[in-house]
Amino acid sequence: MQYEYFNAVLINERDEEGNFLELVKEFILVPNDHFNNLPVNISLSDVQVPTNMYNKDPAIVNGVFWSESLNKVFVDNFDRDPSLIWQYFGSAKGFFRQYPGIKWEPDENGVIAFDCRNRKWYIQAATSPKDVVILVDVSGSMKGLRLTIAKQTVSSILDTLGDDDFFNIIAYNEELHYVEPCLNGTLVQADRANKEHFREHLNKLFAKGIGMLDIALNEAFNILSDFNHTGQGSICSQAIMLITDGAVDTYDTIFAKYNWPDRKVRMFTYLIGREAAFADNLKWMACANKGFFTQISTLADVQENVMEYLHVLSRPKVIDQEHDVVWTEAYIDSTLPQAQKLADDQGLVLMTTVAMPVFSKQNETRSKGILLGVVGTDVPVKELLKAIPKYKLGIHGYAFAITNNGYILTHPELRPLYEEGKKRRKPNYSSVDLSEVEWEDRDDVLRNAMVNRKTGKFSMEVKKTVDKGKRVLVMTNDYYYTDIKGTPFSLGVALSRGHGKYFFRGNVTIEEGLHDLEHPDVSLADEWSYCNTDLHPEHHQMTQLEAIKLYLMGKEPLLQCDKELIQEVLFDAVVSAPIEAYWTSLALNKSENSDKGVEVAFLGTRTGLSRINLFVGPEQLTNQDFLTAEDKENIFNADHFPLWYRRAAEQIPGSFVYSIPFSTETANKSNVVTASTAIQLLDDRKSPVVAAVGIQMKLEFFQRKFWTASRQCASLDGRCSISCDDEAINCYLIDNNGFILVSEDYRQTGNFFGEIEGAVMNKLLTMGSFKRITLYDYQAMCRTNKESSDSAHSLLDPYNAFFAAVKWIMTELVVFLVEFNLCSWWHSDLTAKAQRLKQTLEPCDTEYPAFVSERTIKETMGNIACDDCFKSFVIQQIPSSNLFMVVVDNECNCESILPITMEPIEISEHNESLKCERLKSQKIRRRPESCHGFHPEENARECGGVLGLTAKPIFVLLPLLLAIFSR
């Protein structure tokens, strides 16, 4: 069939003479802000074909031809709902049709490895949950390249398993060898951590001895039966994956004992190598047990052949004609390298995919269960939370959502990225459990209730870290939760006691409010939804402030806005307007700020309205990022109020909270001090915090003011009997978390007091002036030294594959040497293996302390017994602040008392039994509601070779797709 189509990799490519290449046409691309400013074509879709497939293969061209009619469906969907983003169809043949059309660029290695059939959304939509036992032949005949191919086959099978699946891997020769001995006789959830754990153990397999497949089959059937009876696992499909270079028997007695006549366990057999001597036995096993047989001769054959089993497992769903809608866990889209780069530059966007299978509805092919592919669309996670306005949750409140497996879909404490040179994704970012961020709930009461889709309320004391994890706020949260209809997700809302329960309402005229909103120093929270600017393309470029103005003036009738929130914004704008005049008077009064020590004043209100006044030029600001999008912790965003607002709200009313901002770098050397205070209504019953106001000043200015004040004494002659200038004492100004703002040694500024004066800090803890709070980070990254050798290289490394092939050929050519000493030489510890230690960052769990002052203690003093002297100190709170002045005797050295640090400590499981228990432990999860494991009409004769499918009329598919995208 001759047919030209828009190939996403080749579009707009020309040869040296300026002519379009084959399969290339002109494809107009225009940057579109709705798609991260990527150049796209919103009139057409285009097609990506995996690198390992021929883009003019008749089956590919045929499928691309009939799926071209999806263009109209995609465009109509986008016209009907402009909030939609990527729409696509992943074909069972491997091609991927995407709308809007975009040019695909190779990654940094010049490769496009994407295959839609290997994506979670495709696999989840195409198949039902499954329990799988993988049997790997490690007999002597599997040496060399065969074992390399077998390992890669296992790895590719693991890629196709998701969080709703369960598995184990058993290697066999004369004996059974569980790849993870700890998991003998059971299955584990196929989450990322477990799959990576098994991959590491695969490298330890080596071939020797004789293969006794009957022992392995008996074990596999027993595991699946026993595990099914426990009520754990998928309770749906079950399968045995056999990877071997041959079988001397059909083992029909074993199948008759365990699997016939119902054939509830499918058998998938993979013949490794080019020899076909035992192909008939392996194919018989597959065909007799509703499975599939395939032969894998090279590493390049692995992925395509592994995919065949998915089409078999999809048959019952197709025959049932069930369009089960599936939702994936949250992920950061990395399909397009250029999209990933933009995400790194502009901030990540967590997605979930909603997808469903597409199949032939022709009656004559129904029993074959022919899956055509999977259709899907991406949904930004933030869209699911738009119904819960941030302003109604209070200062510390937040919304979050989890999946049926308890994994976080969205949560303010989810940290999917880490920095090492540049931002990178954490390997396990999509499988962070709710219990790892709400870790105070040791019994998983909240988690389990949400997993079970209950509606209810739960309360507990929490310790929320702020300011890059250096500080902690201790509060009591009330959690309200329910399920999200039509999805496998559950939604939770956390309200901090004392905030979010009462909401103050004001009333001003639109004219008054608009007048004060016009001030150039007024801004609104960009990530809050005052008006929905996503519904219509003409609104996409508007800021929230612009949208509000047009809405209030009646110039945009199509704008949908939150009337209640806008009314309160207007009120806040009017009430806070006088502060601008106050700031202006301060700026004009040069005597108050002659050396420009105070650089910026700011105000924020409960409605996300901010006012900012600069006392110096923008280019003169010491901290250029403060109150900008570069410093997300200090502005209103979708997850939280600014840090200075949150900390001020927890202070005693009328007092200021001072702090030195922490940088993300190892050494914190900030040159500014931030001070803020909360504004509360004068209402004894409710007293809600309605705003916070503050300033940021130069650190040097702040310290100079402190030293000047410390030298002023109340004696009649004004002289001090002792002052901070005396060499016998050291003076410090620390905050309520123990961080130094002022020290005679400037280098100590920003450090934790316990690191400088460990003996004094230890005494303060003993006396109760400060208390230690133990915190946990289950999303940490720790440096580890991993052994790196040639044998541990990736199986996909072409050089490694080449050497493995050479190794195998040598073995075949000189097989007689096996009887002599080849085997011992092959596995000798004396072989020249490039062993080296490589330092990497790996996910880990850590424990670390935070410190908080006791509010009731205003002044205290103490003596510390050191080796041969007593060290004296006095600490006094600075009125109306979170600061303490500490004076320490400098003449007594307490070196024997170690400093107190805040360094995290990795929580390691030194005991092997503890490691094993953790692997075995399974938290409560909820199975997907639908299961299509078997169907009596299923045609199991298609059990080996390549299935040849012809094109199906598009009119069969279009009604389905129109229904899919109707919202």
Side-chain angles (χ1 to χ4, degrees), residues 121-132:
W121 54 265
Y122 184 98
I123 295 168
Q124 278 184 242
T127 66
S128 293
K130 48 199 171 290
D131 298 334
V132 176

Side-chain angles (χ1 to χ4, degrees), residues 444-629:
D444 288 342
V445 176
L446 173 65
R447 177 199 180 277
N448 293 345
M450 293 183 68
V451 165
N452 289 322
R453 300 181 71 80
K454 293 182 179 178
T455 298
K457 177 186 175 184
F458 174 71
S459 301
M460 67 177 173
E461 183 182 85
V462 296
K463 304 170 182 69
K464 293 298 179 184
T465 59
V466 296
D467 211 354
K468 300 176 176 62
K470 299 288 187 180
R471 307 181 190 279
V472 63
L473 300 176
V474 181
M475 58 191 75
T476 299
N477 275 0
D478 294 323
Y479 295 87
Y480 301 86
Y481 50 86
T482 190
D483 63 308
I484 303 177
K485 304 299 182 186
T487 77
F489 308 139
S490 291
L491 175 70
V493 171
L495 298 181
S496 176
R497 296 233 178 124
H499 305 287
K501 188 174 183 180
Y502 301 105
F503 188 76
F504 177 73
R505 299 187 187 281
N507 192 25
V508 295
T509 64
I510 292 178
E511 292 73 18
E512 287 179 298
L514 276 176
H515 175 268
D516 289 318
L517 276 178
E518 294 287 348
H519 198 284
D521 290 338
V522 172
S523 63
L524 295 178
D526 284 338
E527 295 184 14
W528 288 23
S529 186
Y530 302 86
C531 294
N532 190 341
T533 58
D534 294 329
L535 290 179
H536 301 283
E538 60 269 26
H539 301 152
H540 288 173
Q541 300 290 344
M542 290 183 187
T543 66
Q544 289 293 320
L545 192 53
E546 291 169 342
I548 288 175
K549 292 175 183 177
L550 291 173
Y551 170 75
L552 291 175
M553 291 186 290
K555 293 184 178 181
E556 288 290 341
L558 295 178
L559 266 176
Q560 296 182 11
C561 298
D562 187 327
K563 295 180 181 179
E564 180 182 7
L565 176 55
I566 290 178
Q567 181 61 43
E568 300 311 317
V569 166
L570 295 179
F571 177 81
D572 287 358
V574 172
V575 172
S576 63
I579 200 170
E580 296 283 356
Y582 172 69
W583 285 337
T584 301
S585 67
L586 287 180
L588 294 175
N589 188 350
K590 294 183 179 179
S591 62
E592 289 290 325
N593 195 28
S594 58
D595 54 2
K596 298 183 179 179
V598 177
E599 297 186 332
V600 58
F602 49 86
L603 174 141
T605 76
R606 77 266 160 76
T607 59
L609 180 144
S610 297
R611 290 183 180 272
I612 301 171
N613 187 86
L614 300 182
F615 295 111
V616 297
E619 69 287 347
Q620 295 177 291
L621 286 172
T622 304
N623 184 353
Q624 295 281 335
D625 293 339
F626 186 58
L627 301 177
T628 71

Side-chain angles (χ1 to χ4, degrees), residues 24 74 84 269 278 514 531 569 632 673 682 715 769 782 793 843 874:
V24 175
F74 290 148
L84 281 173
T269 55
F278 300 105
L514 276 176
C531 294
V569 166
K632 288 185 70 71
V673 174
L682 297 177
S715 59
S769 298
C782 299
H793 286 174
V874 61

Side-chain angles (χ1 to χ4, degrees), residues 277-291:
F278 300 105
D280 289 343
N281 287 343
L282 291 173
K283 184 171 182 179
W284 184 92
M285 290 185 216
C287 295
N289 295 279
K290 289 189 174 181

Side-chain angles (χ1 to χ4, degrees), residues 394-420:
I395 299 167
H396 303 293
Y398 55 89
F400 59 97
I402 65 171
T403 70
N404 60 301
N405 286 298
Y407 297 149
I408 292 171
L409 188 72
T410 179
H411 193 289
E413 300 298 324
L414 178 64
R415 306 193 313 273
L417 303 180
Y418 71 96
E419 290 195 37
E420 188 175 54

